[in-house]
Amino acid sequence: RATLALREEEAEPAISDIRLVLRDHPDRVQAHRLLGQAHVQREEYALAQDALEKAIELAPADTLAYLQLAEVKARSGDNDGAMATLERLLEQAPDNAAAQQAISRIQLSERDWQALAQSAQRIKTSRPDHPLGYHLEGLSLQQQGSHEAAIAAFDKALELRPDALEPLTAVARSEMALQRYDAAEQRVQRVLEANPSNVFARNLL
């Protein structure tokens, strides 16, 4: 019933139901996570963090609680706390893709290109067949003005996933920065030749 109430954004009755559950079953991890979500809906971030920390204490291997806690901290403006929580998660699950992506989003928002490069390297090591690490490496290089090296990284990401839209946009941006306008256009045209109905590529063109 609490889960349904949260879906309807009715946090107050959800909190009442969850507290009834926790009174008799204080070790229910899911109940603590739900309580955290309910407090987030009421913008009670400190209480949400307390509930999620309790969930982590009860189940240190529960990756979802870490992700929820990091999101709450980021939403309340505590990016450092969010990063620390995500690093704790990576200690439990070094290959967790959601944590790696969340860390990179924070680094992008803070324009911390050196840290982003480090995250890219970590992802490339743990997930060499995934384009994300190469894409992040390219973004870091691009923002530091190293467009040739950025293009090489974006090309690697596109080799791994030719239909990826973000590396395509980024590589076109670097080509434009180098005033190679024809090269940028040709890259997008090749995508359209392979898939004429690709609306994103047509808008990019």
Side-chain angles (χ1 to χ4, degrees), residues 124-187:
K124 285 165 57 181
T125 301
S126 63
R127 306 169 71 198
D129 296 329
H130 196 283
L132 178 62
Y134 295 97
H135 177 62
L136 296 177
E137 179 185 29
L139 289 178
S140 174
L141 291 165
Q142 185 180 67
Q143 294 297 326
Q144 296 176 78
S146 300
H147 291 288
E148 291 285 7
I151 288 171
F154 294 136
D155 280 341
K156 182 62 178 178
L158 289 168
E159 284 177 23
L160 293 170
R161 187 168 297 174
D163 61 344
L165 302 178
E166 291 184 350
L168 176 64
T169 303
V171 76
R173 186 178 296 120
S174 278
E175 294 281 18
M176 295 284 285
L178 294 170
Q179 299 185 350
R180 300 200 301 233
Y181 309 115
D182 290 343
E185 182 176 345
Q186 288 167 10
R187 285 178 175 274

Side-chain angles (χ1 to χ4, degrees), residues 45-76:
Y45 297 125
L47 292 174
Q49 290 182 41
D50 289 343
L52 294 168
E53 286 285 9
K54 183 62 177 178
I56 292 172
E57 178 185 332
L58 290 168
D62 179 14
T63 59
L64 183 56
Y66 290 94
L67 292 170
Q68 290 175 326
L69 179 58
E71 182 180 355
V72 171
K73 289 186 176 182
R75 185 178 297 190
S76 62

